[in-house]
Amino acid sequence: IASSCLLLHETELWDSSARITSLIHDCCREDPAPACELSQIAPQNKFFNPTHYWQKYLKFASYREVILARQREDCELYRVGFGLFVQRVRSMEMARNVTVLSLSVSSDWSCQAWLASFAASMEAGSDPPRMP
């Protein structure tokens, strides 16, 4: 929802319609209101099954190393892009005096750290970390 809120925030600068203002009010906070229409239509990846990926590919450390090596450039793009996204959302939060992203979300993200956390969670039998 944070990306939708950022879009609404920037749209409201030139279109301050009641509809946009209402969506921002209902949705752009860490715990959206029940009336938030965005949470009702937010896409869910119904096909992602972390256990399947773990069993087939990621439980093997050698596979994880190869995947990270082959995705090095993509991971750098994600790292930089995610950092900029978090900075922009934090600016919006300050401007609106709301919290959309949990305070635990940091702009310091990497594929390596996420994959290590995912592997540790799967090995421990706990829920894997969500993608930010």
Side-chain angles (χ1 to χ4, degrees):
I1 285 191
S3 58
S4 298
C5 290
L6 186 57
L7 177 67
L8 289 169
H9 171 73
E10 293 177 355
T11 300
E12 192 181 42
L13 297 175
W14 52 269
D15 178 5
S16 59
S17 68
R19 177 89 171 117
I20 290 177
T21 303
S22 174
L23 283 169
I24 290 171
H25 178 266
D26 291 342
C27 302
C28 298
R29 47 189 175 184
E30 194 170 1
D31 187 21
C36 173
E37 294 178 49
L38 294 177
S39 62
Q40 297 168 11
I41 61 170
Q44 300 295 321
N45 189 342
K46 297 176 184 170
F47 302 104
F48 176 69
N49 179 337
T51 303
H52 167 77
Y53 283 99
W54 175 252
Q55 291 297 327
K56 190 161 183 162
Y57 309 107
L58 300 176
K59 76 176 178 178
F60 305 105
S62 60
Y63 284 22
R64 292 193 301 267
E65 290 173 17
V66 169
I67 289 168
L68 285 173
R70 290 185 179 171
Q71 301 302 315
R72 185 175 307 124
E73 291 175 358
D74 289 336
C75 286
E76 179 61 12
L77 178 65
Y78 301 149
R79 184 189 68 74
V80 171
F82 186 74
L84 293 171
F85 171 74
V86 171
Q87 289 174 2
R88 290 177 62 202
V89 170
R90 294 298 183 216
S91 294
M92 177 202 63
E93 290 174 328
M94 288 179 60
R96 296 193 168 276
N97 196 28
V98 297
T99 301
V100 177
L101 290 175
S102 168
L103 296 177
S104 66
V105 174
S106 166
S107 61
D108 185 28
W109 184 89
S110 72
C111 290
Q112 294 85 349
W114 182 85
L115 188 55
S117 177
F118 179 88
S121 295
M122 295 304 287
E123 287 169 350
S126 58
D127 289 336
R130 293 176 41 135
M131 291 293 286

